[in-house]
Amino acid sequence: MAAYDKADIERRMTGAVEALKHDLQGLRTGRASTTLLDPVSVEVYGSHMPINQLASVSAPEPRMLSVQVWDKMNVGPVDKAIRSAGLGLNPIVDGQTLRLPIPDLTEERRKELAKLANQYAEKARIAARNVRRDGNDSLKIDEKKGLFGEDERKRLETEVQKLTDSTIADIDAAAAAKEKEILGK
């Protein structure tokens, strides 16, 4: 059985771009959105969990998020995770509810958000390169099994590289568009 699966590599590369677009949607320019907290991961019960598995997130006002934590023992970890997520949000704890005022978009805040968008893009680039590495490794395994020769492996590696280059170009375009939106240029 062949280890190389072009369709799987394409699916995983597309997944990296889609994950980046989803993360970038959470970076709002001045308005409260529940997707803003999607990338936040909270360490509870001995593992990392998305915030939406521990609390209800809502936007009761245009510039305010409300996080209703279900278990009062998790209020501290949720507060800590939001503060350390690099989103520039400082929760106000009120019992089991955390209120997150969305700060005005100053030039400094815009630069922070642009920096965060670039960090998300770099994670997506790394994911695409990891998929490329996995694809090339499976090609070498198939070559050793005798499923095809060195020339065919090199041709397929070139295909994988072209797909990687295309994916990284998509990632760069999405990041550049979001940075332009954030910086207001």
Side-chain angles (χ1 to χ4, degrees), residues 4 12 17 20-21 24 29 33 58 68 73 79 81 88 91 93-94 104-105 109 114 123 134-135 140 142 170 178:
Y4 175 72
R12 290 172 58 197
V17 175
L20 170 67
K21 288 180 179 178
L24 291 178
T29 54
S33 169
S58 62
Q68 179 68 40
M73 299 301 288
D79 178 40
V93 180
D94 181 18
D104 288 333
L105 280 180
R109 175 84 176 128
K123 286 180 186 176
D134 293 346
K140 290 174 186 169
D142 287 349
D170 291 346
K178 189 63 176 185

Side-chain angles (χ1 to χ4, degrees), residues 76-134:
V78 169
D79 178 40
K80 181 180 175 187
I82 293 171
R83 289 180 191 275
S84 63
L87 298 172
L89 300 174
N90 293 313
I92 301 166
V93 180
D94 181 18
Q96 285 181 239
T97 304
L98 283 81
R99 302 198 192 295
L100 294 105
I102 306 298
D104 288 333
L105 280 180
T106 62
E107 188 65 28
E108 180 181 328
R109 175 84 176 128
R110 289 178 190 272
K111 287 179 182 176
E112 286 176 19
L113 288 174
K115 185 176 175 183
L116 191 59
N118 286 326
Q119 288 173 357
Y120 290 162
E122 186 56 32
K123 286 180 186 176
R125 285 185 206 100
I126 290 169
R129 290 192 290 264
N130 286 341
V131 172
R132 176 188 62 195
R133 183 196 63 225
D134 293 346

Side-chain angles (χ1 to χ4, degrees), residues 32-34 37 55-61 64-68 97-100:
S33 169
T34 57
L37 298 178
S56 299
V57 180
S58 62
E61 299 174 27
M64 174 80 68
L65 284 176
S66 176
V67 180
Q68 179 68 40
T97 304
L98 283 81
R99 302 198 192 295
L100 294 105

